[in-house]
Amino acid sequence: MLLASTMTSAQEVSLAVVAHPDVTTQQLTRDTTRAIFAMRQRTWPDGQAVRVFVLDNNHPVHARFAKEQLAVYPHQLQLAWDRMVFSGTGQAPNRVRNQREMREHIATTPGALGYLEREYLDDRVQVISME
């Protein structure tokens, strides 16, 4: 039993919602964050366009982010994206292959929003706190 809890805590690396350094919003509610990642809200509170970046649905960090931070399952996000794309009312988020690529895109794309494990954070992106 002790071994299982040690393995679990070692695997649970903290996740952060991150944005381009020029984004003026520094805090979001869970509902707003969920709406942005579901592509229902397309702008930051100040009116700037949001460019959402996500990892592949089967990436373990994406699954953890969806469940822990957004309180949804990855397939629920995919269904929402598919509905908007196929109905012509919206688009899916930008997909990246790994967290390094995620960090690069967020650091260089105005209005960008994504998520990273804490070990991938650097001064080129800013952490957005969630209420």
Side-chain angles (χ1 to χ4, degrees):
M1 187 67 157
L2 180 61
L3 179 61
S5 66
T6 304
M7 288 173 53
T8 302
S9 62
Q11 292 171 345
E12 291 177 9
V13 177
S14 182
L15 291 171
V17 176
V18 294
H20 185 272
D22 291 344
V23 168
T24 58
T25 301
Q26 303 204 345
Q27 187 171 28
L28 293 170
T29 64
R30 182 185 303 257
D31 288 342
T32 301
T33 306
R34 187 182 304 121
I36 291 171
F37 277 96
M39 306 301 285
R40 290 190 315 268
Q41 181 170 326
R42 297 182 177 113
T43 59
W44 289 98
D46 68 0
Q48 180 183 21
V50 177
R51 298 281 310 274
V52 178
F53 290 90
V54 298
L55 294 163
D56 193 67
N57 281 348
N58 59 12
H59 195 289
V61 173
H62 177 72
R64 279 188 39 229
F65 174 75
K67 292 176 195 172
E68 294 172 10
Q69 304 292 323
L70 303 180
V72 297
Y73 288 102
H75 72 272
Q76 292 173 299
L77 284 175
Q78 187 64 53
L79 286 172
W81 301 333
D82 290 347
R83 240 187 328 271
M84 284 188 289
V85 169
F86 295 133
S87 68
T89 60
Q91 61 186 19
N94 302 291
R95 288 210 193 267
V96 294
R97 290 183 298 247
N98 56 51
Q99 293 184 79
R100 284 185 185 87
E101 190 176 317
M102 171 92 71
R103 182 181 57 212
E104 291 306 314
H105 282 291
I106 292 169
T108 59
T109 307
L113 181 70
Y115 48 87
L116 293 168
E117 289 177 317
R118 298 256 176 214
E119 68 186 82
Y120 288 91
L121 298 178
D122 65 21
D123 60 356
R124 295 176 297 155
V125 298
Q126 68 167 311
V127 174
I128 305 293
S129 63
M130 273 188 27
E131 300 174 3

